[in-house]
Amino acid sequence: MDNDPMGELKNVLKKGRGRNLIIIATLVVLLFAFKPWVQVGAGERGVVQNFGAVQDNVLNEGIHFKIPIVQTVILMDVKIQKAMTDAASSSSDLQDVDLSVALNYHIIPDKANLVYQTIGVEFKERIIDPAIQEVMKAVSARYTAEELITKRPAVSTEMQEALTSRLLASNISVDAFSIISFSFSQTFTDAIEAKQTAEQNALKAKRDLDRIRVEAEQTIAAATAEAEALRLQKMNISPDLIELRKIEANLKAIEKWNGILPEVTGAGAIPFIGIGDAIKNK
């Protein structure tokens, strides 16, 4: 029986190469099946669990390796999120108030594991909305319905401060808060409009009265000044001044005379007639 050493060697190499390919393919399949890495995206944090137990370390953005089967990673969104909530409450004067507010908030990144451990991923429904409802009712009850309108910035600031303190205990940070709208009963709204109309009419009447008073004072002042001027002028008139004015008037008349006497002069029974012609003849 002939033995071919080279053929046997080739068969062994072929078998070994095929076995290596099978091993490599198996490893690749297992690698993708168990996926021993995790990618944490922008604005996210990874919460690590060892057999379901939340760990202290929080994964930042990027690619991280994990132990298959043993570890799992929960991704938590730590970007700024917006919550809009409507609430019905009452003012201190027992007026019904419907409020609509908007809240911007985010999970504190380094505390994402605690948020997941104590609240879970449904923190908006469990924490955010109930906190907004309670704060809105508590703050609005300290103001009258009219003050909720006239002191709106103060009301908004007080609500934001209360929400900030309340949510910080749950490792949630408040970024911004704003009151979108107040709405009241139709009766109260009509009463407010009537009051504003009355105040505007009263203000207009006051302005008109002030204007009339000022015009009257101006008229009196002008009349007083004119009377004072006449009084001073009268005090300065004397017989000598009257005689001087007469002389000045006569001088002006003489300056304007052209040297020709009138044809008829005098108002007596025998008027002088033709004097001008007689002078010319001479």
Side-chain angles (χ1 to χ4, degrees):
M1 184 174 164
D2 295 334
N3 292 328
D4 186 0
M6 294 301 296
E8 292 180 358
L9 181 60
K10 289 180 180 180
N11 290 332
V12 171
L13 291 175
K14 287 181 179 179
K15 292 180 180 178
R17 187 179 300 120
R19 188 180 300 112
N20 290 336
L21 291 175
I22 293 173
I23 293 173
I24 292 173
T26 303
L27 291 175
V28 171
V29 171
L30 291 175
L31 183 65
F32 280 95
F34 290 102
K35 194 180 178 181
W37 72 86
V38 63
Q39 181 178 354
V40 180
E44 294 180 333
R45 291 296 183 272
V47 178
V48 181
Q49 291 179 307
N50 289 348
F51 292 112
V54 177
Q55 302 303 299
D56 293 335
N57 61 312
V58 177
L59 302 181
N60 293 323
E61 300 171 1
I63 296 178
H64 305 269
F65 289 97
K66 65 178 181 176
I67 302 173
I69 301 175
V70 176
Q71 290 183 328
T72 56
V73 177
I74 307 299
L75 298 179
M76 297 285 288
D77 191 348
V78 297
K79 296 188 293 292
I80 295 177
Q81 302 181 52
K82 181 178 182 180
M84 296 185 64
T85 306
D86 297 329
S89 59
S90 298
S91 61
S92 61
D93 54 351
L94 303 180
Q95 293 291 336
D96 294 331
V97 185
D98 293 325
L99 300 96
S100 179
V101 302
L103 174 70
N104 289 347
Y105 66 93
H106 71 273
I107 297 174
I108 299 175
D110 295 339
K111 304 296 182 180
N113 57 335
L114 297 178
V115 174
Y116 180 79
Q117 187 177 32
T118 57
I119 305 173
V121 295
E122 298 178 351
F123 47 84
K124 180 182 181 297
E125 293 77 10
R126 296 179 179 179
I127 297 296
I128 303 295
D129 292 341
I132 294 176
Q133 292 277 349
E134 183 174 346
V135 167
M136 290 168 66
K137 292 179 181 180
V139 174
S140 60
R142 289 196 288 270
Y143 292 86
T144 65
E146 186 174 354
E147 287 175 339
L148 289 174
I149 299 174
T150 58
K151 298 181 180 180
R152 182 167 178 165
V155 175
S156 179
T157 300
E158 187 173 345
M159 287 184 177
Q160 180 172 350
E161 291 175 352
L163 279 172
T164 299
S165 176
R166 184 182 179 88
L167 295 179
L168 192 60
S170 300
N171 299 302
I172 298 174
S173 177
V174 172
D175 297 292
F177 177 85
S178 60
I179 298 175
I180 298 175
S181 65
F182 282 119
S183 60
F184 304 91
S185 64
Q186 188 61 41
T187 302
F188 178 77
T189 303
D190 294 340
I192 289 294
E193 292 179 356
K195 181 179 179 181
Q196 291 178 344
T197 301
E199 290 177 351
Q200 292 174 355
N201 292 336
L203 183 61
K204 182 178 182 301
K206 183 178 181 300
R207 287 198 299 264
D208 292 341
L209 182 61
D210 292 340
R211 177 179 55 79
I212 293 172
R213 183 182 297 110
V214 170
E215 291 176 353
E217 291 175 353
Q218 292 175 345
T219 301
I220 293 173
T224 302
E226 184 177 357
E228 181 65 16
L230 291 174
R231 185 183 67 82
L232 294 175
Q233 185 177 2
K234 185 176 180 181
M235 290 178 60
N236 292 329
I237 295 176
S238 63
D240 293 338
L241 181 60
I242 293 174
E243 188 65 26
L244 178 61
R245 293 290 183 266
K246 290 181 179 180
I247 294 172
E248 291 176 350
N250 292 333
L251 291 175
K252 289 181 179 180
I254 292 172
E255 290 176 357
K256 294 180 180 180
W257 183 47
N258 55 8
I260 300 175
L261 293 175
E263 297 296 329
V264 179
T265 60
I270 303 175
F272 293 96
I273 302 173
I275 296 179
D277 294 336
I279 294 175
K280 288 181 181 180
N281 295 330
K282 289 182 179 182

